Amino acid sequence: MGETKTLLRIGALALMWGSSFFWIKLGLGAFTPVQLVLARVALGAAVLIGLCYLGRDRLPSGRRIWGHLAVAAFFHNALPFLLFAWGELTVDSGITGVLNATTPLWVLVAAPMLGARTRMTAVRVAGLVAGLAGILLIFAPWEASGLLSWGALACLAAAASYGFAFVYEGKYLTGTGDSPMSLAGGQMLLATGFLLLAMPMGGFEPVHLSTGAIVAVVILGIGSTGIAFALNYQLLASEGAVSASIVGYLLPVVSVLLGAVFLAEPLNLRVIAGMVVVLGGVALTRLRPREQGTFATTPQVERPLAAAGEAAP
């Protein structure tokens, strides 16, 4: 029964987070990126804070914690969510999911910059190089019909922002004594504030409401943001970060399949090959230095909000 519950949680998380890019694409038919992301983080914050109080957890206290949460809210939520939404104005949802899977590569780049201890073995360097090669294969800048564009670069920058945020959270938001749920609730609340400040950047444009777009944004905010984070904490508590990180490998598969089946997004062999190379590179970066062939979280950069190497899109 325990194993069955774990598999169900992994499958549900992969579906909710992997489908995020699909719901973003649908929501953009009625909302601007700022409007969509504001609705997303506000709904997510409501769910997380509600669960926090139901579990009798209190929001964090102290200026220092809230200062670190503000940095995390900007780089883990407000900025990457906006970049992904803006990028999807021109980039297919499936490709966006693949670019999101590069986050562990950016974690390895960000860790030494923030003074986090991480062991860069030859295997991990090879994984980093392979991941970057996979990105080039997907973009194909040497071809006139390549996918390289400002939107694609925005999605890649969003993944890099996740990488920085994960290292930062691991360094400053672990061991605070606050529960992960209360930290996530406070962080999402601050992200909502950042989006309110961003309203002048397209937030006041007319909204062309449609049933499909409203449903997409509600699912994105409540399901893929609020409930998914809560479900992830249960998985972390029961199985640990190593098992939870498996979800990260399923996200691009879900996003690509949804985009191809329901949005008729084109999918050629070069993009598929690039996705395989990217995931292979990510897999190499996740091998334990001392136990070849065993996957692990990135050393010294675990964070309370998601399994290491896994981006909550």
Side-chain angles (χ1 to χ4, degrees), residues 228-284:
F229 269 99
L231 189 60
N232 185 53
Y233 301 145
Q234 294 179 357
L235 188 61
L236 282 170
S238 63
E239 299 297 326
V242 176
S243 296
S245 67
I246 296 173
V247 178
Y249 296 94
L250 302 176
L251 302 189
V253 177
V254 174
S255 67
V256 167
L257 288 177
L258 287 175
V261 173
F262 294 103
L263 299 177
E265 294 177 351
L267 191 62
N268 56 47
L269 290 177
R270 190 194 74 245
V271 172
I272 294 175
M275 179 174 68
V276 172
V277 173
V278 166
L279 293 179
V282 169
L284 288 176

Side-chain angles (χ1 to χ4, degrees), residues 114-281:
L114 289 178
R117 290 178 295 162
T118 183
R119 188 174 176 182
M120 287 296 292
T121 64
V123 173
R124 282 182 172 163
V125 172
L128 185 60
V129 173
L132 296 177
I135 295 171
L136 285 177
L137 187 59
I138 292 171
F139 282 167
W142 55 84
E143 294 185 5
S145 59
L147 297 174
L148 188 60
S149 65
W150 287 113
L153 292 177
C155 294
L156 202 57
S161 182
Y162 277 147
F164 168 82
F166 294 161
V167 178
Y168 186 90
E169 290 165 359
K171 185 173 182 178
Y172 295 108
L173 289 173
T174 54
T176 63
D178 297 289
S179 72
M181 192 70 73
S182 65
L183 289 171
Q187 181 170 321
M188 204 66 70
L189 189 63
L190 289 171
T192 304
F194 283 129
L195 264 299
L196 287 173
L197 294 176
M199 284 296 285
M201 298 185 296
F204 298 113
E205 293 185 12
V207 176
H208 307 285
L209 290 178
S210 67
T211 303
I214 293 174
V215 170
V217 172
V218 170
I219 293 176
L220 180 65
I222 295 178
S224 298
T225 306
I227 295 176
F229 269 99
L231 189 60
N232 185 53
Y233 301 145
Q234 294 179 357
L235 188 61
L236 282 170
S238 63
E239 299 297 326
V242 176
S243 296
S245 67
I246 296 173
V247 178
Y249 296 94
L250 302 176
L251 302 189
V253 177
V254 174
S255 67
V256 167
L257 288 177
L258 287 175
V261 173
F262 294 103
L263 299 177
E265 294 177 351
L267 191 62
N268 56 47
L269 290 177
R270 190 194 74 245
V271 172
I272 294 175
M275 179 174 68
V276 172
V277 173
V278 166
L279 293 179

Side-chain angles (χ1 to χ4, degrees), residues 242 245 249 282-284 286-288 291 293-297:
V242 176
S245 67
Y249 296 94
V282 169
L284 288 176
R286 315 243 323 129
L287 290 174
R288 289 184 186 274
E291 298 177 35
T294 303
F295 289 102
T297 54

